[in-house]
Amino acid sequence: MRDPDPRVLMEWYDRHARRLPWRVPPEASKEGVRADPYRVWLSEVMLQQTTVAAAKGYYLAFTERWPDVDALAAAEDAEVMAAWAGLGYYARARNLLKCARAVSAAGGRFPGTEDALQALPGIGPYTAAAIAAIAFGRQATVLDGNVERVMARLFAVEAPLPGAKETLRAHAARLTPEARPGDHAQAVMDLGATICTPRSPACGICPWRPGCAGQRLGLAETLPRKAPKKAKPTRRGIAYFARRPDGSVLLEDRPPKGLLGGMRGLPSTEWVEGTPQPAPPCEAAWTSEPGAVRHTFTHFHLVLDLAHADVPAGTVPARGRFFSSEAAPAASLPTVMRKAYRLGMRCRDDAG
């Protein structure tokens, strides 16, 4: 069986490409217009472990507030972390700032090769290939989850991921053309997102159906295979919600490194597999809500007890400081802390 024809896919893409705010549409790309590297980079970082629907609003807000890499580089860390809140995987936001500042310090221009891009903070092989192909027209192999799925089905690769990744990369590289490599990469992504979907792929309207070994063998929907995942452990902790008579709430900035690094949230204990040691941030008549907040991270489940209290106006905490809801709105907190904050507000209102 011959390899699928990239030209057939490009004809499909020219008619059916998704219209996304960070993309140059195919009619402009064919005229030589290329995407802004800053916007490609920003969108690709946001899309890591995140859906297009979830990332789009954040992307539009970021580019309106920080329209280029120099503007982002000059932003305050706390402003960027607050703007990222809710998008998850907060190390991405820290690396976003590090990368923006490195690029700005070097003259405000992203390099155009994969090796040079990977030398920047937070840019790995996938993001480097995407920027090189889409923004600079390099014949780079872009391999995200959609592309892996398409390649696994096209070539009936039954070996499970992640072990099969390099085999899938080799197939993707063989199909990547010299002409319009960025559009080709986006076309394969669109194919995976809209037709070659994880469940119930629409094989009947797929432009690459004639060359798809997985469809011919009746395996398409079962691919790609994945190695069994390890069970996630459960960690526990205590979050402290303290509110003064003026309505301000005690918050602290987490250490710059580690989970939720640099993000603002309620003071809490360490998150441990076992019984957490209480560590209240101030003297108060704490009321406990056991197991009140639950959240799942990539590698573990988290169960937080919520301890809440109203405290006098002159309370001086051992850590953190009091913020009004206007100065630190709940929307600026990471998702797990937002859950705890809103629950704390309800508990104190009910207690009052």
Side-chain angles (χ1 to χ4, degrees):
M1 181 182 290
R2 293 181 179 178
D3 282 349
D5 188 344
R7 293 172 298 181
V8 173
L9 183 66
M10 290 309 303
E11 291 172 2
W12 172 84
Y13 179 74
D14 288 343
R15 296 192 303 272
H16 301 289
R18 290 181 292 175
R19 302 289 164 156
L20 301 173
W22 47 82
R23 273 193 187 173
V24 170
E27 58 269 21
S29 178
K30 287 191 288 186
E31 297 299 321
V33 178
R34 287 187 182 151
D36 178 356
Y38 168 70
R39 296 184 176 232
V40 175
W41 163 72
L42 180 62
S43 66
E44 291 297 343
V45 173
M46 287 185 168
L47 287 166
Q48 293 166 13
Q49 306 292 329
T50 308
T51 65
V52 167
K56 192 181 294 186
Y58 285 88
Y59 171 85
L60 293 171
F62 262 71
T63 51
E64 180 177 356
R65 190 169 181 181
W66 301 295
D68 56 42
V69 71
D70 292 321
L72 182 59
E76 294 289 337
D77 289 40
E79 291 180 354
V80 174
M81 298 304 286
W84 193 274
L87 197 52
Y89 301 91
Y90 295 99
R92 293 182 295 167
R94 298 195 296 274
N95 284 328
L96 197 78
L97 272 170
K98 291 178 185 177
C99 184
R101 289 165 181 165
V103 172
S104 184
R109 292 180 179 273
F110 281 83
T113 66
E114 291 180 79
D115 287 346
L117 286 163
Q118 285 193 61
L120 293 169
I123 295 186
Y126 164 74
T127 304
I131 298 169
I134 297 168
F136 294 100
R138 305 279 185 181
Q139 193 180 9
T141 304
V142 182
L143 194 74
D144 73 347
N146 282 316
V147 179
E148 288 177 344
R149 183 167 61 256
V150 171
M151 292 302 125
R153 291 171 175 176
L154 281 176
F155 297 97
V157 177
E158 297 187 62
L161 286 166
K165 186 177 289 286
E166 290 310 310
T167 299
L168 301 177
R169 187 186 307 278
H171 287 310
R174 195 167 66 250
L175 295 182
T176 302
E178 291 184 20
R180 299 174 65 192
D183 281 351
H184 171 83
Q186 292 174 123
V188 183
M189 293 180 200
D190 279 10
L191 188 71
T194 63
I195 289 181
C196 196
T197 51
R199 294 180 179 83
S200 303
C203 298
I205 59 172
C206 177
W208 269 350
R209 179 182 180 180
C212 181
Q215 198 277 331
R216 178 173 56 85
L217 296 171
L219 297 173
E221 195 166 358
T222 71
L223 302 174
R225 308 273 166 79
K226 295 183 180 180
K229 292 183 179 180
K230 294 181 180 179
K232 292 182 180 181
T234 296
R235 298 181 188 176
R236 302 191 67 94
I238 305 170
Y240 294 91
F241 181 91
R243 186 172 63 178
R244 294 194 308 200
D246 63 1
S248 59
V249 173
L250 181 62
L251 301 172
E252 67 175 357
D253 293 335
R254 294 177 65 84
K257 293 185 178 180
L259 195 63
L260 305 185
M263 298 298 292
R264 186 163 289 160
L266 300 182
S268 75
T269 64
E270 296 289 330
W271 300 343
V272 297
E273 293 182 38
T275 302
Q277 293 299 312
C282 59
E283 293 286 340
W286 297 102
T287 299
S288 181
E289 305 285 342
V293 178
R294 297 173 182 269
H295 189 76
T296 295
F297 292 96
T298 305
H299 301 298
F300 66 94
H301 303 292
L302 175 64
V303 178
L304 287 179
D305 299 340
L306 182 73
H308 52 94
D310 288 328
V311 297
T315 297
V316 178
R319 62 186 194 275
R321 58 193 180 98
F322 286 89
F323 290 85
S324 68
S325 59
E326 291 78 16
S332 69
L333 305 179
T335 303
V336 64
M337 289 299 176
R338 194 182 310 160
K339 292 178 183 178
Y341 180 99
R342 288 175 173 163
L343 178 59
M345 290 291 287
R346 291 198 299 271
C347 289
R348 296 322 300 159
D349 289 343
D350 291 345

